[in-house]
Amino acid sequence: MHGLLATSLGVTCAAALTLPLAPPAGAAPEPPAPMAEAAAAVAGAARPDPPQAPGAPPRAASATPDLPGSTQSLPLAPLARDRALGGAGDQGLPRRDVRHFSLLGVVWNDPDTPLHGRVQVRTRAAGTHAWSGWQDLETHNDDHGADPGTAERTSGHVRAGTAPLWVGDSDGVEVRVHGEDTDRHGRTGTTRAALTTPGAAAALPKGLRLELIDPGTEDTRAVHLSAEAAGTRQLRPAALDAEARAASAANADLAPVGALEIPALDRAQTRSELLSLRSGQLTAAQKAKPYIGPRPRIVTRRGWGADEKLREKSFVYTSKVKAAFVHHTASGNTYKCSQAPSLIRGIYRYHVRSMGWRDIGYNFLVDKCGTIYEGRAGGVAKAVLGAHTLGFNTNSMGIAVIGTFGSTKPPAAAVTAVARLTAWKLGLYGGNPKGKTYLKSGGGNLYRKGKNVRLNVISGHRDGFATECPGRQLYGKLGTARSSAARLQGR
């Protein structure tokens, strides 16, 4: 993984780029894509993804979409010189019609090769001629993922990619990728030499592809409502396939198999559950006076509509949960809370199908309304090994607040949800939200592999890797989350 470059923008997973090189982001009506482009798009049209080896190369599919969703994977090609970006050697796709999608990203072959440059997209709202302005994708996304040397990282299926961007229901797209300017010595950044040397741009990674994700149309909130009306919050186990049953059974100590959510408990119920779940791991003092916050309500993978056939079948665990790393998804803030399950299904599909991971990287996700969602499968009360903080996935958990919080303040409901979740989950393992702990680095751009690093028990992603994640505004709220979580634990 690459470190920060003094002459570049640095590594970020948080805020969208803000360089004033592109037109304003307001919608601008434009004519539909030419017929030739529309015909070309048909060749890359989506179809439901049939089962395939985890992390196999992206492939486009059938003309009949289904509820679990689909991925259109379109190779980028050289573009004519674009004066707005200023360089030769650009790649992209001209404006074209495509099948419906709601989330997109760009991937490339080598997970160890960074993309030094800009990736911009614009999209057309479905059923209209209105195109968005150009939007930047976060290119420095290599601070996420499995730790170096782990089975997930060395599977041979992992690819590099931008952060995904939520654009809502769309049926047209255009993309351009420009290598960052370099001087005659190969250094990146906007320099006098770069501006006066024709074609001085960093080489782009090989195998660039645009991934267009249709998360499926299942309305999980409607499922919740119908379940409530029927007086139940679970589906009959007989309705579950083997993979869905296994994912749900991992939470069987907390909710019935097939449950759409794990209900909240009060303090007394939570302490009783703690003694039931982890009595053998608790000290006498912890049994006498356990510090743990009330269990919050958590929407299960079944509840947000996970297609369990996408992920790898087995679950992988770490020893304990000593720390929580807070992230943001850098996927934008335009979604509605009712769309959060769709957005999570999109991120899940992007992580697995497009980037070659074994499952969604985060252990939990939180939407702007404060709803908490189960992330990587294996059980919400268990120490599931995630792929969220490169170098520090062991003995930690990753919580992603859905949105981009570099300049935008996170909603109070989301910060409160982070506090409630950490008060409970860290409490299961004896963690003090206001305390410090040591984690051994698996390798990254801040700490060498094997170094014991002292970290806050509730840390931001940037504390373990040189990145902007979780964004300046969300990072600034972590002190509030720590204090609130400690108070919920009774400290």
Side-chain angles (χ1 to χ4, degrees), residues 103-127:
L103 180 137
L104 56 77
V106 169
V107 300
W108 56 96
N109 294 343
D110 186 356
D112 294 319
T113 299
L115 191 161
H116 295 301
R118 296 186 71 180
V119 178
Q120 292 185 307
V121 297
R122 58 177 178 171
T123 57
R124 184 182 63 205

Side-chain angles (χ1 to χ4, degrees), residues 93-263:
L93 287 175
R95 191 178 72 245
R96 62 170 58 192
D97 295 333
V98 292
R99 297 193 65 84
H100 285 243
F101 70 96
S102 298
L103 180 137
L104 56 77
V106 169
V107 300
W108 56 96
N109 294 343
D110 186 356
D112 294 319
T113 299
L115 191 161
H116 295 301
R118 296 186 71 180
V119 178
Q120 292 185 307
V121 297
R122 58 177 178 171
T123 57
R124 184 182 63 205
T128 75
H129 290 174
W131 287 77
S132 72
W134 288 102
Q135 301 182 77
D136 285 285
L137 299 188
E138 178 50 68
T139 58
H140 296 297
N141 195 43
D142 56 357
D143 44 5
H144 296 81
D147 290 345
T150 59
E152 181 173 2
R153 177 71 179 187
T154 59
S155 67
H157 302 307
V158 175
R159 289 176 291 278
T162 68
L165 179 68
W166 176 261
V167 294
D169 190 17
S170 304
D171 60 11
V173 69
E174 183 176 4
V175 60
R176 60 191 187 188
V177 182
H178 173 69
E180 188 174 53
D181 291 332
T182 62
D183 64 19
R184 58 187 174 184
H185 302 293
R187 295 178 300 226
T188 58
T190 303
T191 65
R192 177 182 293 271
L195 294 174
T196 58
T197 304
L204 295 175
K206 294 181 179 179
L208 288 166
R209 303 183 71 90
L210 174 66
E211 304 287 289
L212 304 176
I213 312 297
D214 171 13
T217 57
E218 184 177 8
D219 185 350
T220 57
R221 296 303 175 99
V223 173
H224 278 272
L225 292 174
S226 62
E228 286 185 296
T232 180
R233 288 178 180 267
Q234 69 260 10
L235 303 179
R236 295 191 324 185
L240 304 178
D241 58 32
E243 292 82 0
R245 181 188 294 271
S248 186
N251 292 312
D253 290 333
L254 312 182
V257 173
L260 299 174
E261 65 179 53
I262 295 167

Side-chain angles (χ1 to χ4, degrees), residues 34-116:
M35 291 303 294
E37 291 181 11
V42 173
R47 57 179 179 264
D49 289 328
Q52 66 183 69
R59 59 189 183 194
S62 129
T64 310
D66 64 358
L67 290 180
S70 60
T71 300
Q72 300 171 75
S73 185
L74 308 175
L76 304 191
L79 294 176
R81 182 184 178 93
D82 190 330
R83 292 183 180 180
L85 289 175
D90 295 349
Q91 292 189 38
L93 287 175
R95 191 178 72 245
R96 62 170 58 192
D97 295 333
V98 292
R99 297 193 65 84
H100 285 243
F101 70 96
S102 298
L103 180 137
L104 56 77
V106 169
V107 300
W108 56 96
N109 294 343
D110 186 356
D112 294 319
T113 299
L115 191 161
H116 295 301

